[in-house]
Amino acid sequence: MFLKRVKRSAGEKFLERISGHIAEASPERLARMWGLFEKVAANPEDRLQAARFRWLVEKGHPFGQWLQRIGEELSPEAKKALIKNLYGNAWFMNRSIRENFKKREGFEPPYIIVVDVTARCNLSCAGCWAGNYGRESDLDLELIEKMVEEAENRMGLHFFVFSGGEPTLRKDLLGLYERHPNSQFQIYTNGTLIDESMAGRMAELGNVMPMVSIEGDRELTDARRGDGTYEKVMSAMENLRQHGVLFGFSATATRNNAKYVMSNEFIEKMIKKGCLYGWYFQYIPVGRNPDTDMMVTAKQRNFMRRRVYELRNSYPIFLADFWNDGTETRGCMAGGKRYLHVTNDGDIEPCVFCHFAVHNIKETSLTDALKHPFFRDIREGIPYDGNHLRPCMLIDRPWVFRDYVKKYSDVRPTHEGAETLITGLSEEMDRRAEKWAEVAGPVWENGQALELYPYPDV
């Protein structure tokens, strides 16, 4: 045990040093490094990804320009943390921990844990998926730390997503970020509380990645989030950009804004404000006053699927679409397949939009929760019939999730009204799923699905 700790410490020090050197490297030098990793990587999937990244840079793809932006725009601490935590730890330091977990437990550990650190929020956005959790409770800091330590030490996981509520209301989390410098913390925030002081502290820490929520332009954002919110978001982005924080935007596509948030105008604005990432979600009727009319149509979703591919192959910004990138994740991520969700009350859910649970973190570990047949069945059912364009058991195959809930008597909704997704809204959700199947089926069968970026053989 002592020898293992010594080796681990030496490895961490080496990774710390090498991350500092890589952070200053040009995209061309990084391409050469990926070429070297491509030759020595033991895992075929890692070799393929390294070859893909090398090829993109060599071809002058916007991916290389994005790397250039990282080198030029981020604080030294942010660059170093990004490389060390998301690449070094994932590819090198954690492989043995993850392999041992699989041998011990019989399944692979997740890559991401999403935690609602608070229910408190200074806004009341229409359709917020966390809107029914209540607005007064924080998840105890000791419980959050317990999860982080279990994930780091037993799962080899170093990427955490903090949501809410509004995570920046909790100043005590800054200490947690500092105590866990080998992990990356992505926080989903409305941005209205990020002043220069907070942005400066995030830059010093380096391992905090805010994703600032925005609905599009001023009119669209203020209509959903309240008058004056857009200006506060713009101010937050400016503060983050000036301090060199790694940050991005988070946009929830609805029937009203899907076209604009996928426009050149919007992406160019986000890049100008300093966003290096962009995460697209689709409105799901699980929050405050669920309204299925806010959901994108099948035609709009297909537009988004094609458009996000065009944008990330045209602009130096990393863009992801939570549902339409099922081709990249090889289907659904829920149930611990790649991630799971813990609410502000401690309930352990399969997904941030799936408000049903068996266990609570106050009474069990993440590992034991993942062992429950409810989570196991979700993982083992993925990717259903193999069509990665229909990955979701809530909006693409809602009858699948209803069967999971019926199968296990101890599965319960985690707040009042959560059950409407499988009761009162079930008929409408089935209709919408079938509409999307009519579009996604032929696309998949004809080999026209699009991935994150092209591969070298394309």
Side-chain angles (χ1 to χ4, degrees), residues 99-163:
E99 288 174 351
N100 287 336
F101 181 95
K102 184 176 180 180
K103 289 178 183 177
R104 185 174 64 248
E105 307 298 346
F107 58 93
E108 290 188 3
Y111 290 89
I112 304 168
I113 294 174
V114 183
V115 184
D116 295 342
V117 294
T118 183
R120 292 182 291 137
C121 188
N122 58 325
L123 299 181
S124 296
C125 305
C128 173
W129 61 262
N132 286 334
Y133 278 142
R135 300 179 65 84
E136 62 288 331
S137 61
D138 290 351
L139 185 60
D140 188 81
L141 183 63
E142 290 185 6
L143 287 172
I144 300 173
E145 195 114 34
K146 169 191 168 186
M147 285 187 283
V148 171
E149 290 175 353
E150 179 187 356
E152 289 179 339
N153 300 328
R154 293 180 58 81
M155 299 180 178
L157 186 157
H158 287 259
F159 188 68
F160 301 90
V161 177
F162 285 178
S163 184

Side-chain angles (χ1 to χ4, degrees), residues 24-252:
E24 303 303 323
S26 66
E28 291 74 20
R29 187 178 175 190
L30 286 174
R32 292 195 296 271
M33 288 179 169
W34 272 316
L36 177 62
F37 179 68
E38 183 184 346
K39 294 177 181 178
V40 303
N43 188 301
E45 187 174 334
D46 288 345
R47 287 200 299 272
L48 181 60
Q49 287 292 7
R52 189 186 200 183
F53 293 155
R54 172 185 53 77
W55 179 78
L56 289 170
V57 174
E58 290 174 348
K59 291 296 182 181
H61 187 275
F63 178 78
Q65 300 167 29
W66 175 68
L67 292 175
Q68 191 73 43
R69 287 187 62 205
I70 287 175
E72 294 174 352
E73 297 177 22
L74 295 187
S75 70
E77 294 80 4
K79 282 189 287 186
K80 195 173 181 180
L82 173 66
I83 295 164
K84 176 169 65 75
N85 296 339
L86 292 190
Y87 297 104
N89 280 327
W91 277 351
F92 297 106
M93 296 297 293
N94 296 334
R95 185 169 300 284
S96 62
I97 298 176
R98 297 184 65 82
E99 288 174 351
N100 287 336
F101 181 95
K102 184 176 180 180
K103 289 178 183 177
R104 185 174 64 248
E105 307 298 346
F107 58 93
E108 290 188 3
Y111 290 89
I112 304 168
I113 294 174
V114 183
V115 184
D116 295 342
V117 294
T118 183
R120 292 182 291 137
C121 188
N122 58 325
L123 299 181
S124 296
C125 305
C128 173
W129 61 262
N132 286 334
Y133 278 142
R135 300 179 65 84
E136 62 288 331
S137 61
D138 290 351
L139 185 60
D140 188 81
L141 183 63
E142 290 185 6
L143 287 172
I144 300 173
E145 195 114 34
K146 169 191 168 186
M147 285 187 283
V148 171
E149 290 175 353
E150 179 187 356
E152 289 179 339
N153 300 328
R154 293 180 58 81
M155 299 180 178
L157 186 157
H158 287 259
F159 188 68
F160 301 90
V161 177
F162 285 178
S163 184
E166 175 49 45
T168 60
L169 284 168
R170 291 196 58 168
K171 302 301 186 287
D172 57 345
L173 294 177
L174 294 171
L176 182 140
Y177 306 146
E178 187 172 17
R179 289 190 296 276
H180 295 273
N182 292 324
S183 287
Q184 204 76 2
F185 296 90
Q186 185 180 71
I187 61 171
Y188 280 81
T189 171
N190 59 44
T192 59
L193 303 177
I194 301 179
D195 56 15
E196 281 201 45
S197 176
M198 185 180 293
R201 181 68 176 123
M202 290 177 176
E204 290 173 0
L205 291 165
N207 62 339
V208 184
M209 301 167 53
M211 299 298 291
V212 184
S213 297
I214 188 169
E215 308 302 322
D217 60 13
R218 183 192 308 273
E219 182 180 358
L220 289 165
T221 300
D222 286 359
R224 187 178 182 204
R225 297 184 172 271
D227 291 343
T229 301
Y230 182 80
E231 279 306 313
K232 292 178 181 178
V233 167
M234 293 296 102
S235 176
M237 288 185 175
E238 186 62 25
N239 290 331
L240 293 167
R241 184 188 67 79
Q242 289 185 356
H243 284 277
V245 177
L246 176 62
F247 78 98
F249 72 84
S250 169
T252 298

